[in-house]
Amino acid sequence: MIPRDKLLHIALGIVWMCAAAVSWFVLQLFGPGAFLAYHTTVYALLYEVNQAVRGEGQPDLLDAIATAAPGWVAWGVFAVV
């Protein structure tokens, strides 16, 4: 039997691979600003889900927003430049 921790790593790897594929399409279709906003948002949400699954820390929407915010700011900068 595969340990639970390893199964979680495999599941996260599959989810991240799918998110990375979408990131590539976002980059191709909408440019680097949208890519950064999407990528930081997905990372932030997956990090909070990881905390909930592992019982480490308290998952918090505001933490996810704080983690994703730099990507959205970068998108705004790219849109202006």
Side-chain angles (χ1 to χ4, degrees):
M1 184 69 184
I2 300 174
R4 181 176 185 269
D5 180 61
K6 299 301 181 245
L7 291 174
L8 289 174
H9 280 278
I10 292 168
L12 184 60
I14 291 169
V15 169
W16 192 252
M17 178 186 64
C18 294
V22 173
S23 289
W24 185 82
F25 284 111
V26 169
L27 177 62
Q28 299 303 311
L29 295 173
F30 302 107
F35 165 79
L36 291 171
Y38 170 80
H39 208 70
T40 54
T41 300
V42 170
Y43 176 80
L45 294 174
L46 286 177
Y47 189 84
E48 294 302 316
V49 169
N50 181 43
Q51 280 187 324
V53 169
R54 290 179 171 264
E56 298 172 353
Q58 182 66 28
D60 184 10
L61 180 60
L62 292 178
D63 286 349
I65 291 170
T67 303
W72 288 89
V73 171
W75 192 3
V77 169
F78 276 108
V80 172
V81 175

